[in-house]
Amino acid sequence: MNRYPIGIFDSGVGGTSIWKEIQKLLPNEDTIYLADSKNAPYGEKSAAQILQLSIKNTEFLLAKGCKIIVVACNTATTNAIDELRRNFKVPFIGIEPAIKPAALQSSSKTVGILATKGTLSSHLFHSTSENHAKGIRIIERDGFGLVPLIEEGKIESEEIRNLLQIYLKPMLEEGIDYLVLGCTHYPYLIPVLKELLPETVKIIDSGEAVARQTMSVLMANNLQKNSEEIGICTFYSNAEIEVLQSLLGGTDANMIVSFLDF
Amino acid sequence: MNRYPIGIFDSGVGGTSIWKEIQKLLPNEDTIYLADSKNAPYGEKSAAQILQLSIKNTEFLLAKGCKIIVVACNTATTNAIDELRRNFKVPFIGIEPAIKPAALQSSSKTVGILATKGTLSSHLFHSTSENHAKGIRIIERDGFGLVPLIEEGKIESEEIRNLLQIYLKPMLEEGIDYLVLGCTHYPYLIPVLKELLPETVKIIDSGEAVARQTMSVLMANNLQKNSEEIGICTFYSNAEIEVLQSLLGGTDANMIVSFLDF
């Protein structure tokens, strides 16, 4: 199994923020990234629809021989990962909002979280908040409309800026000192967020922690690639591939980006 | 597999410091702890001997149906875990000295590490130090003689105190502000260490991180026990069981401690 790739899927291009961290930590591993952009955003869909799409994505990656699956989408993790683990034999890595580190480090005991509706309303999100953020006020905001704009590549647009201003306002009024990004699309908004937030507010996402967790699970299962040779990274999208390419910041000889109608 | 126990082994009673953290985080899981006290300390043995004993311990735990093995011994981890992962199918969790968090947090850029000879001389230890502690001075000390005394239950003895004073002296002269405990036996020395160290020196061990990693690998592999019922914890030792019992701080209805000649 060790030579086989790491599979990563997301409801679109956002999960590439997770892929980047995995590739940085494990540059020798082959990866296959699946962007289900045609069905983005998952955050507005029902739990049953999200599960159905997650199973389809997993089957696609397993058919390509993936040895582990990273569900690089908070909404798919919260709504489908338990069922995926019950139905398929490979290990699954999920994404959870980094509420715990934010809660531990917050001085104002007030933490903001920006995530999709599908994540905020999930059982997993509520139990995480209750267990890891006792005594902390959590100001939730549903980032409605952000994912579709990111999927269109409008990362630094006026529309994004206006939506973010609306979503951040109540958080700033409540005095947050940490903003948790609870959707893998949102790290691409960090440059704009930094302009809109005072310097005292720190931004946390889950990318690095997920990469470390992937490494640890590969090692525990003896699934890590033994060769030091740099890995091949393949990307499939069922929408136009220009936005994907631009978020990847260009491609090199070890990267293949293809359109595929799935 | 989910109903099966977590297997934990150590070259003696020290790994119970890891067991305690696992039991705190995952109280519903059944655990089987194997104390190979007859062969302690592993730290003075050859790599081949350590590997042979680790394979024997693993086979014992697998025969009891364990779904995951925690190698709760730094020396066995550094010398045998790669080979164990190649030979057995279950996931393995190892213990590495917490050099990285100490290096990240040290203000004096000087970190002490107390570990066995077998750990300090290993390849894994050297690559961890080089990768995670760039620009940090690491003052290593081989804690020769400590493990046998702990195995005899002489935790607060004059002998332990004298040895620790000798081992800590060069570290304090170099101005360490973090002391990394690189052997699972050593957390039992924390009360004495706190008396001997100035308040400015913080002590770090790996227990909590290992417990979190165990949870994460169980989840990724869908191996976590689904019932909320409190787990049964079984302990086997091939030496007299009094020290084991006393380090556990007494036993309750869910804990069974037995002598077994293996």
Side-chain angles (χ1 to χ4, degrees):
Chain A
M1 289 288 282
N2 306 56
R3 301 184 303 110
Y4 294 116
I6 296 172
I8 306 167
F9 76 81
D10 179 32
S11 65
V13 296
T16 54
S17 66
I18 300 291
W19 169 81
K20 282 180 185 174
E21 297 292 342
I22 290 174
Q23 215 272 330
K24 197 161 78 184
L25 192 66
L26 302 164
N28 66 328
E29 293 284 348
D30 296 337
T31 53
I32 299 182
Y33 182 95
L34 177 62
D36 188 17
S37 291
K38 195 172 72 182
N39 293 303
Y42 282 11
E44 305 294 317
K45 293 191 157 43
S46 72
Q49 285 174 309
I50 296 166
L51 176 59
Q52 202 176 6
L53 292 167
S54 299
I55 288 174
K56 190 181 155 208
N57 296 337
T58 299
E59 284 172 343
F60 176 93
L61 291 170
L62 291 180
K64 303 256 173 220
C66 291
K67 60 188 173 186
I68 188 170
I69 306 282
V70 181
V71 182
C73 171
N74 296 70
T75 308
T77 298
T78 48
N79 288 281
I81 202 160
D82 288 347
E83 199 56 31
L84 293 176
R85 285 175 174 153
R86 270 193 287 275
N87 282 279
F88 300 100
K89 279 195 175 163
V90 296
F92 283 84
I93 305 291
I95 315 288
E96 286 174 45
I99 294 176
K100 192 181 173 187
L104 282 173
Q105 293 172 68
S106 171
S107 307
S108 68
K109 304 282 172 212
T110 312
V111 164
I113 168 153
L114 195 62
T116 69
K117 207 169 110 186
T119 297
L120 293 175
S121 62
S122 72
H123 173 70
L124 184 60
F125 173 71
H126 282 283
S127 64
T128 308
S129 308
E130 277 167 27
N131 291 334
H132 297 312
K134 290 199 176 79
I136 301 283
R137 276 191 311 157
I138 297 190
I139 319 296
E140 298 176 14
R141 266 317 303 235
D142 163 6
F144 185 79
L146 295 173
V147 169
L149 288 167
I150 297 166
E151 287 291 322
E152 291 170 35
K154 296 179 176 169
I155 287 175
E156 304 209 343
S157 64
E158 207 52 39
E159 286 160 281
I160 285 267
R161 198 175 297 266
N162 290 342
L163 285 178
L164 286 177
Q165 260 166 342
I166 295 166
Y167 298 158
L168 296 175
K169 194 162 176 276
M171 298 187 186
L172 293 172
E173 284 170 0
E174 296 287 338
I176 64 160
D177 59 355
Y178 276 86
L179 173 64
V180 177
L181 303 184
C183 169
T184 55
H185 280 72
Y186 299 168
Y188 287 110
L189 304 179
I190 289 176
V192 181
L193 284 166
K194 283 197 170 161
E195 283 174 36
L196 297 174
L197 289 167
E199 270 185 25
T200 48
V201 179
K202 292 179 194 70
I203 303 169
I204 293 196
D205 68 75
S206 313
E208 225 186 296
V210 167
R212 280 199 306 271
Q213 205 183 338
T214 304
M215 184 171 76
S216 142
V217 172
L218 284 178
M219 284 179 70
N221 290 280
N222 192 30
L223 290 173
Q224 71 274 35
K225 190 174 154 195
N226 298 318
S227 144
E228 288 301 310
E229 210 177 324
I230 202 90
I232 303 289
C233 303
T234 312
F235 298 83
Y236 296 103
S237 169
N238 52 13
E240 291 176 11
I241 60 173
E242 284 70 20
V243 175
L244 186 55
Q245 280 170 322
S246 101
L247 290 184
L248 292 172
T251 56
D252 63 30
N254 291 300
M255 291 162 75
I256 303 150
V257 186
S258 315
F259 170 81
L260 198 76
D261 191 17
F262 60 89
Chain B
M1 288 288 283
N2 305 55
R3 303 185 301 109
Y4 294 117
I6 296 173
I8 305 169
F9 76 81
D10 179 31
S11 63
V13 297
T16 52
S17 66
I18 300 293
W19 170 81
K20 282 180 184 172
E21 296 292 342
I22 290 173
Q23 215 272 332
K24 197 162 78 184
L25 192 65
L26 302 163
N28 66 327
E29 293 284 349
D30 295 338
T31 53
I32 299 182
Y33 182 96
L34 177 61
D36 188 17
S37 291
K38 195 172 69 182
N39 294 302
Y42 282 10
E44 305 293 318
K45 291 191 160 40
S46 72
Q49 285 174 309
I50 297 165
L51 177 59
Q52 204 176 3
L53 292 167
S54 300
I55 288 174
K56 191 182 154 207
N57 297 336
T58 300
E59 284 171 344
F60 176 93
L61 291 170
L62 292 180
K64 303 256 174 220
C66 290
K67 60 188 174 185
I68 187 170
I69 307 282
V70 180
V71 182
C73 170
N74 296 72
T75 308
T77 298
T78 49
N79 288 282
I81 203 161
D82 288 347
E83 199 57 31
L84 293 176
R85 283 174 176 154
R86 270 193 288 274
N87 282 280
F88 300 99
K89 277 192 176 163
V90 295
F92 283 84
I93 304 292
I95 315 288
E96 286 173 45
I99 296 177
K100 193 181 173 186
L104 283 173
Q105 292 171 69
S106 171
S107 306
S108 68
K109 305 283 172 214
T110 312
V111 165
I113 167 152
L114 195 62
T116 70
K117 207 169 109 187
T119 298
L120 292 174
S121 62
S122 71
H123 174 71
L124 184 60
F125 173 71
H126 283 283
S127 64
T128 308
S129 308
E130 277 167 28
N131 291 334
H132 296 313
K134 289 198 176 80
I136 301 283
R137 275 191 312 157
I138 296 190
I139 319 296
E140 298 175 16
R141 265 319 301 236
D142 163 6
F144 184 78
L146 295 173
V147 169
L149 288 167
I150 298 165
E151 287 293 322
E152 292 171 36
K154 297 180 174 167
I155 287 176
E156 302 207 345
S157 64
E158 209 50 40
E159 287 160 280
I160 285 266
R161 199 174 294 266
N162 291 341
L163 285 178
L164 286 177
Q165 260 166 340
I166 295 166
Y167 299 158
L168 295 176
K169 193 163 176 276
M171 298 187 187
L172 293 172
E173 283 170 0
E174 295 287 338
I176 62 159
D177 59 355
Y178 275 87
L179 173 64
V180 177
L181 302 184
C183 169
T184 54
H185 280 71
Y186 298 169
Y188 287 111
L189 305 179
I190 290 176
V192 181
L193 285 166
K194 283 197 172 161
E195 283 175 35
L196 297 174
L197 290 168
E199 268 187 26
T200 47
V201 178
K202 290 179 195 72
I203 302 169
I204 294 196
D205 67 75
S206 314
E208 225 186 296
V210 167
R212 280 200 307 272
Q213 205 183 336
T214 304
M215 184 172 77
S216 144
V217 172
L218 284 179
M219 284 179 70
N221 290 280
N222 192 30
L223 289 174
Q224 72 275 34
K225 189 174 155 196
N226 297 317
S227 143
E228 288 301 310
E229 211 178 322
I230 204 88
I232 303 290
C233 303
T234 312
F235 299 83
Y236 295 104
S237 169
N238 51 15
E240 290 176 13
I241 60 172
E242 285 69 21
V243 175
L244 186 55
Q245 280 171 322
S246 103
L247 290 183
L248 292 172
T251 55
D252 63 29
N254 291 300
M255 290 161 77
I256 304 151
V257 186
S258 315
F259 169 80
L260 200 74
D261 190 17
F262 60 88

